[in-house]
């Protein structure tokens, strides 16, 4: 099985939709028809089987690829194009790195579509984010700390994706660039605080893939402007 040829290797721009948040048909239509490379479904809390199935079936009316970030075993829903399993790398609480995941694998390991499933090594870098509080993440990493985590994720664990997560806040692009310059196999995802075309461009210059979340719900036009902005940034 060749993980490195995965579907997401060509993805530059993603919209992230939260099953626990309301979105109108009109807004969803605009997002799915925006030209984004894919939709990723996920959230830090309130994600259930029912609200995930509901959102997936609405996105499925469109051709856009759709991936699920499986953050709780109850919300593992079949029918997505790809599955990401988050492993939080910058926490002392092992349950978020491999504990809950192993509990889920005990039950569902034999049913997982492995060829469409990838681990995502998360670095949660905004201490105010819900995910940081939930997982007790050590979010204040300096350049040396990020470097060590990238060695761990990319060289030792050989994870296919490293997700630099600043959810709710625009992050330190120098750290993101550093991560991208270091990786040998992983793809660097960046998400957090992208709410206009300029920030989308800056993030697309720093990371392989940029993820736009909150602004979808707050300012649809601004969200849509990020698609075009990312498309015009050449991948280095
Ligand atoms: C959240 O990284 C994503 O998991 C996107 O962040 O919601 O701040 O855009 P925002």
């Amino acid at each position: 099985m060749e993980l490195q040829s995965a579907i997401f290797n060509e993805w530059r721009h993603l919209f992230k939709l939260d099953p626990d948040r309301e979105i109108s048909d009109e807004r969803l239509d605009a997002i799915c028809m925006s030209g984004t490379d894919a939709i990723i479904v996920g959230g830090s809390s309130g994600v259930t089987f029912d609200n995930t199935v509901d959102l997936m079936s609405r996105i499925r009316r469109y051709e856009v690829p759709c991936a699920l970030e499986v953050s709780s075993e109850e919300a593992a829903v079949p029918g997505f194009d790809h599955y990401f399993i988050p492993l939080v790398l910058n926490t002392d609480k092992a349950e978020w790195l491999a504990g809950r995941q192993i509990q889920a694998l005990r039950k569902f390991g034999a049913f997982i579509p492995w060829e469409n499933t990838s681990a995502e090594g998360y670095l949660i870098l905004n201490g105010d984010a819900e995910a940081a509080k939930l997982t007790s993440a050590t979010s204040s990493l300096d350049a040396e700390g990020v470097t060590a985590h990238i060695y761990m994720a990319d060289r030792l664990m050989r994870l296919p994706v490293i997700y630099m997560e600043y959810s709710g806040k625009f992050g330190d692009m120098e750290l993101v660039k550093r991560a991208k310059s270091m990786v040998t196999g992983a793809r660097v995802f960046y998400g957090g605080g992208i709410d206009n075309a300029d920030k989308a461009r800056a993030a697309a210059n720093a990371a392989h893939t940029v993820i736009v979340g909150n602004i979808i719900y707050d300012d649809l036009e601004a969200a849509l402007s990020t698609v075009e902005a990312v498309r015009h940034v050449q991948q280095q």
Side-chain angles (χ1 to χ4, degrees):
M1 188 167 62
E2 184 48 76
L3 283 174
Q4 300 305 329
S5 66
I7 181 174
F8 52 82
N9 277 0
E10 303 301 317
W11 292 351
R12 288 281 282 145
H13 180 285
L14 306 177
F15 279 125
K16 190 186 265 194
L17 292 175
D18 185 342
D20 195 33
R21 292 182 80 170
E22 297 277 322
I23 186 164
S24 67
D25 285 342
E26 292 71 31
R27 195 168 286 241
L28 188 67
D29 182 77
I31 291 298
C32 291
M33 298 297 286
S34 64
T36 187
D37 294 312
I39 310 283
I40 185 163
V41 170
S44 300
S45 63
V47 180
T48 64
F49 190 88
D50 289 347
N51 61 22
T52 304
V53 168
D54 182 57
L55 183 57
M56 181 188 75
S57 58
R58 292 173 69 204
I59 298 167
R60 277 291 184 226
R61 295 179 197 146
Y62 301 89
E63 282 181 18
V64 66
C66 186
L68 178 66
E69 212 166 38
V70 188
S71 46
S72 75
E73 63 178 58
E74 302 80 50
V77 169
F80 283 87
D81 295 305
H82 202 80
Y83 294 88
F84 290 110
I85 311 294
L87 317 178
V88 181
L89 302 177
N90 59 330
T91 176
D92 292 335
K93 296 212 165 147
E95 67 172 300
W96 297 105
L97 175 62
R100 289 166 177 251
Q101 297 84 343
I102 288 169
Q103 285 308 318
L105 292 171
R106 280 176 184 269
K107 286 194 238 167
F108 304 119
F111 307 105
I112 289 176
W114 288 109
E115 64 287 2
N116 299 324
T117 301
S118 309
E120 261 181 339
Y122 257 80
L123 288 183
I124 305 179
L125 298 166
N126 172 12
D128 295 328
E130 209 178 324
K133 292 180 185 149
L134 186 69
T135 63
S136 307
T138 311
S139 52
S140 55
L141 293 180
D142 58 8
E144 204 176 50
V146 167
T147 300
H149 281 80
I150 301 298
Y151 281 137
M152 170 63 91
D154 177 74
R155 309 286 170 91
L156 289 178
M157 298 172 86
R158 297 186 185 273
L159 297 177
V161 175
I162 297 172
Y163 191 135
M164 301 190 66
E165 171 67 292
Y166 282 89
S167 182
K169 168 181 144 184
F170 194 64
D172 181 341
M173 290 303 117
E174 291 309 312
L175 288 183
V176 180
K177 278 183 194 160
R178 172 182 283 258
K180 191 172 83 169
S181 73
M182 285 180 63
V183 292
T184 54
R187 210 165 159 84
V188 175
F189 284 15
Y190 168 82
I194 297 176
D195 56 10
N196 62 38
D198 284 344
K199 287 181 192 157
R201 254 188 298 276
N205 264 311
H208 294 115
T209 304
V210 308
I211 298 170
V212 177
N214 267 310
I215 196 68
I216 297 167
Y217 301 92
D218 298 339
D219 182 344
L220 181 62
E221 288 311 311
L224 295 173
S225 76
T226 66
V227 177
E228 198 63 13
V230 170
R231 197 195 316 282
H232 287 111
V233 177
Q234 296 294 322
Q235 180 79 78
Q236 289 137 18

